[in-house]
Every structure is written in structure tokens, then in C-alpha cells.
Amino acid sequence: MSTRDDRQEGREALSSERTRTLPAKDGGKVRLKLWVLSGPGAGKGRPLPVGSYLLGKSADCDIVLEDGTVSRHHLRLEVEEDRVVATDLGSYNGSFCEGLRFSELEVRPGAVLTLGETRLKVMPEDTRERALLLSSRDRFGALVGTSRRMREVFTFLERMAPVDSDVLIQGETGTGKELCAEGLHHGSPRAKKPFVVVDLAGIAPSLIESELFGHVKGAFTGAQADRAGAFERAQGGTVFLDEVGELPLELQPRLLRVLERRQVKRVGGNDYRELDVRVVAATHVDLEAAVKAEKFRRDLFHRLAVLRVVLPPLRERPEDIPMLIDTVLERLGKPPSSLSDQTRALLVQYPWPGNVRELRNVVDRVVNLGEESLPDIDPGIPGRAALRAGGLDLAQPFKEAKEQLVEGFERDYLKSLLKRCEGRFNRAAREAGIDRVYLRKLMRKHGLELSDGKPGADEDDAG
């Protein structure tokens, strides 16, 4: 195990004469590197000389992950001459490898580790796969974006589409989970077969079983004829289970059997029918938390999450908003000039709690009712008053104008957040969904302090 000085030296140098290597099968040397595939810091890489590395969100970690869902001291990586061992340090949200939770395991080359919303990959530093980390495309199906976050998503989707494994899509409401599922289906060998959507949040609980698995005549009151369920109707194609987190606990064992055995039995029936389907599920619910609360089966979660992709909220990829606006206008048959530069600037700086769906609705409304309808959508958009008062110079370069808008939004948001949380720093960080280190950095940037002048730990940290 290396000393703290050794680890510090490894952190400060991307390449170093001290960097030791793992022997390759051909007798050569392979330098290892840790890549951040998704989550905060996506696209970043750092070398892994032989030694011990502490990963977490605490500033004293060797590899700091600015992810609010990661524990302070989350994981330890032991890089040895011939292997890499990962050990979970009792983290709050757990550590996962290829969808399975672990306490300790030997990390094979290319394996993906998931810590909170951050995905990490240990692999040779000199590899063609490095060039494939970011997709070169700006769309996947109906999903569009040029941001690093979306290009990471597209990379995963491109690799997931051709395979037959089940996929779990996670993301806030309005991020495009159904579009993602459609893209996976149309990019797969099953593209010419059915794509059946089951919105579990929109079906009465008493009808979900019949909708999924079908029923035979007389199985219950109103069952006047045999009916095939969603899995049978999707034979050869894909079943999309939207909001799978809403599935009643008593029906979860039946879904697990379908996933495990690819067999289904209709309600009231006696025989199992063989299935040839791919299952894509989606949810805005934190399923890991639901598992801990015993509202979702652990075995079902791990079975659904064989492959998992997280769609980022729009507020984390504002650079995609101009392209999204133009895409909506194109679908409406309107030219880009349909929206003024001032309106576009407002739309770029708004935090979009409803994500892409809300943006689409707003653009549709403005195009049809005129730009004077924009203030009625949300009068509380930070920076609107400054724009109307001429506080923003739209003649300046785009980058400077955007920075001015963002700074105004950050300052207004922080003031409102701290007031709402009564100056309680940890509560403010949790409510904002950002790491305390980042919140502290933002406060200092805008000259904001708590009443005692020291933003610190006012409550216990769950991580």
C-alpha cells in the first residue's frame, strides 16, 4: 500500500516516471487509467499507479467525486501488480458492478463500476476504447443533444441497442425515457416487430396484472373473452414498462418470473406460454431507495438493471437547449426565426423542472400565442426582470451573455434556497441536489455566507 505522499503525487501527475504498470499477456506493459463514464466529471480520466485509492465525495479522498449520491468515503481501489480489487466502505447507496451490488470484488478490465449516479471504468490507458467514450452523433432516435452528458448517453445506447439484454432507463419526468426506449427498439434486430408500451402509472392497480399477462374468459367479472397481455402482444419485439417503480409489490414476483424464464401465464389460465421479447423498463423513482424501504424487490431490481442508463435533467445540459428549440420548431413546421434572441436567452437560463417535455410545451405555446405569452408560463424565471429592464446586453458575444444570465440565476437561486432552508447548510445542499463542496464553492463565488460566516455541518450526514 502506498503512502499518502505517493497517492498525492499520483493525483498531481497525469503521467509520471513513478507510474507502475500491470504486465500484459504479450509481455508488454499496460498502464491503467480510471475513466468517468457518466455523472459529474463525465469524460475525465486519471492514471492508476500501483497503490491504494480512496473514492468518495469528501475532500480528503484520493479521487473526489462531486456526486451528491456518493458517500463521503464510498469505495477503496487497491491497484496491485496483477489485479485491481474494489472494496465498498459501507456506503449509503452501495457499489455496483454491471448492475450487481458488491462488498468486495476483483475488477476485470473494462468492467463498469457504479457509485451513486457516477459510472467508472478501469481500463488500459492506451486503448482504442478511449476514443469511443464519447459518441460522435448528436442524436439517437428522437433524443438530441451535443453536450458531453448526452454524447455519453448516446455511446451507451449505441452499444445497448444491438444486444438482447433487458435495459433500465432512469431519469426525471420529462427527460425522454420513452424516446430512449423507442430508439433502443428501432436500433435493434427487433425493429420490425411490435413495440408495446405499458404505462404502469396510468393503469388502475386492479387491472395491471391483466394488462401485463393477459387473462382467460371468466377469470374475473368483466372478462368476457380471452385476452393477450402486453408480453404476448410484443412477441418477437420489445415491451416498454414505463414507470416500473409503480408496479404493486404483490405483482413483482410474477414480473420477475417473466424476466427470468421468458414465460407468461394468463390470469385464470393454467398453461405457461413461451416468450421471445426484450424488456425495457423506465422509472423516475429511486429504485435503490425503494428497495431499502422494502417497496421494491431487490432481486427484481437487479434483474431489470442488467444494463442501465441514466438520462440527465435538462438543467445539467443547458448547452443542448438551442438545438432542442430548433428541433421543436422544425417539428412544428416553423423556421428558427420564430423565436427572438431575447426569448432564446430566457429559455437557455431557465432551470426547467419539467425538462425537455416542459421546454417543448413552452416553445409550442410561444409559437402559437406569441412571445407575450412567455411571462405567464412562469413569472418567477430568474433574470426575466433584468432582461426586460435592459440589464442584459444581447449584442455581446453569446458566451458572455450566457455567463451573465447564469451568474444572475445562480445568485438568485442561492439566495432563495438559503432563505427557504433557514440558513441550514446541509439541508440546502440536499434540497438543491448538489454536493456540499460545490454549494460552498458557489456561495463563495457570489459572496454569500451563513449568519455565522461559516457554512458547515449543521446536521448529520447520511453518507
Side-chain angles (χ1 to χ4, degrees):
M1 182 179 295
S2 66
T3 64
R4 171 65 65 173
D5 291 341
D6 289 337
R7 296 198 298 270
Q8 180 66 28
E9 185 172 347
R11 289 198 300 272
E12 294 175 348
L14 289 180
S15 61
S16 169
E17 295 298 326
R18 297 181 61 263
T19 301
R20 301 172 69 182
T21 57
L22 298 186
K25 290 184 179 180
D26 61 3
K29 296 293 183 180
V30 179
R31 294 176 181 270
L32 288 181
K33 198 157 190 175
L34 183 70
W35 285 98
V36 182
L37 297 181
S38 64
K44 294 181 180 179
R46 56 146 299 153
L48 288 179
V50 170
S52 177
Y53 301 88
L54 181 62
L55 284 71
K57 65 184 179 184
S58 176
D60 64 353
C61 289
D62 303 298
I63 300 175
V64 178
L65 303 174
E66 294 186 354
D67 180 346
T69 61
V70 168
S71 293
R72 291 175 58 80
H73 298 150
H74 197 113
L75 185 79
R76 185 178 301 280
L77 281 180
E78 299 283 350
V79 181
E80 302 176 6
E81 289 284 359
D82 57 352
R83 66 175 188 161
V84 177
V85 178
T87 304
D88 182 82
L89 301 177
S91 63
Y92 185 75
N93 286 326
S95 300
F96 297 82
C97 181
E98 311 295 357
L100 297 177
R101 188 166 185 168
F102 68 87
S103 296
E104 179 177 315
L105 87 163
E106 183 172 335
V107 182
R108 60 176 176 79
V112 176
L113 303 177
T114 302
L115 281 59
E117 295 180 357
T118 299
R119 295 186 179 188
L120 307 166
K121 192 170 189 177
V122 177
M123 60 186 190
E125 184 175 19
D126 297 322
T127 175
R128 293 181 181 180
E129 193 166 0
R130 174 179 177 180
L132 298 176
L133 282 173
L134 286 178
S135 173
S136 60
R137 58 201 295 180
D138 59 7
R139 63 188 64 230
F140 183 88
L143 294 175
V144 299
T146 57
S147 65
R148 178 177 291 274
R149 295 291 303 276
M150 287 307 291
R151 287 165 62 203
E152 287 284 355
V153 168
F154 295 160
T155 299
F156 277 105
L157 296 180
E158 289 167 12
R159 296 175 181 176
M160 290 177 184
V163 303
D164 222 25
S165 297
D166 299 333
V167 179
L168 176 64
I169 306 169
Q170 293 180 292
E172 296 179 5
T173 299
T175 50
K177 296 186 289 294
E178 184 169 347
L179 298 179
C180 181
E182 288 178 353
L184 285 170
H185 174 71
H186 292 303
S188 76
R190 300 177 178 269
K192 295 182 179 180
K193 297 294 184 177
F195 176 74
V196 177
V197 178
V198 184
D199 181 6
L200 293 171
I203 303 173
S206 60
L207 299 178
I208 290 179
E209 187 174 20
S210 174
E211 178 61 31
L212 287 176
F213 312 118
H215 63 256
V216 299
K217 181 179 179 180
F220 52 84
T221 302
Q224 300 178 358
D226 289 358
R227 182 176 186 272
F231 286 103
E232 287 186 69
R233 299 198 305 271
Q235 187 74 354
T238 303
V239 174
F240 175 51
L241 303 179
D242 197 10
E243 296 303 346
V244 71
E246 304 295 329
L247 184 66
L249 195 59
E250 62 270 18
L251 293 182
Q252 293 178 19
R254 290 206 62 181
L255 176 57
L256 181 62
R257 181 184 179 91
V258 171
L259 296 175
E260 292 284 358
R261 302 194 179 185
R262 285 313 197 255
Q263 295 176 334
V264 65
K265 182 171 67 172
R266 294 182 180 182
V267 178
N270 297 316
D271 301 323
Y272 281 96
R273 301 165 187 255
E274 298 296 324
L275 296 175
D276 174 23
V277 296
R278 184 186 195 182
V279 179
V280 178
T283 181
H284 76 282
V285 174
D286 183 346
L287 289 186
E288 290 94 332
V291 168
K292 292 177 182 176
E294 299 184 348
K295 295 181 179 179
F296 202 86
R297 291 178 61 105
R298 183 178 300 276
D299 49 4
L300 177 58
F301 167 68
H302 289 312
R303 186 60 187 79
L304 285 170
V306 173
L307 295 175
R308 180 163 46 157
V309 62
V310 179
L311 297 182
L314 189 53
R315 63 182 175 276
E316 293 182 5
R317 55 182 188 106
E319 59 269 44
D320 288 335
I321 292 178
M323 182 179 182
L324 287 166
I325 292 173
D326 289 339
T327 300
V328 175
L329 291 174
E330 181 180 349
R331 291 173 183 169
L332 294 173
K334 302 292 183 180
S337 58
S338 298
L339 294 183
S340 68
D341 291 342
Q342 185 183 48
T343 296
R344 284 176 176 268
L346 278 170
L347 298 181
V348 167
Q349 60 89 42
Y350 181 51
W352 297 109
N355 292 296
V356 180
R357 182 182 296 131
E358 183 184 9
L359 171 64
R360 183 178 64 243
N361 294 339
V362 168
V363 173
D364 193 344
R365 175 172 177 172
V366 172
V367 167
N368 287 288
L369 299 182
E371 297 191 353
E372 63 276 7
S373 68
L374 185 59
D376 298 328
I377 296 169
D378 189 343
I381 295 180
R384 187 190 301 281
L387 278 173
R388 293 189 175 279
L392 178 66
D393 179 10
L394 294 177
Q396 62 183 324
F398 174 80
K399 183 177 180 180
E400 283 77 358
K402 179 181 175 182
E403 288 175 353
Q404 183 180 344
L405 275 170
V406 170
E407 287 194 2
F409 163 72
E410 288 178 350
R411 184 168 52 253
D412 293 345
Y413 182 88
L414 290 174
K415 288 180 179 179
S416 173
L417 175 69
L418 294 173
K419 181 179 180 180
R420 186 168 65 251
C421 295
E422 300 176 341
R424 301 176 71 182
F425 185 77
N426 284 2
R427 176 183 165 190
R430 282 197 294 271
E431 190 162 318
I434 58 179
D435 186 77
R436 290 179 301 173
V437 174
Y438 184 58
L439 177 57
R440 195 173 290 119
K441 179 180 178 181
L442 284 176
M443 291 175 61
R444 288 171 179 161
K445 173 183 175 182
H446 295 287
L448 301 175
E449 291 185 345
L450 300 182
S451 56
D452 61 2
K454 294 187 295 182
D458 49 81
E459 303 172 33
D460 292 336
D461 178 12

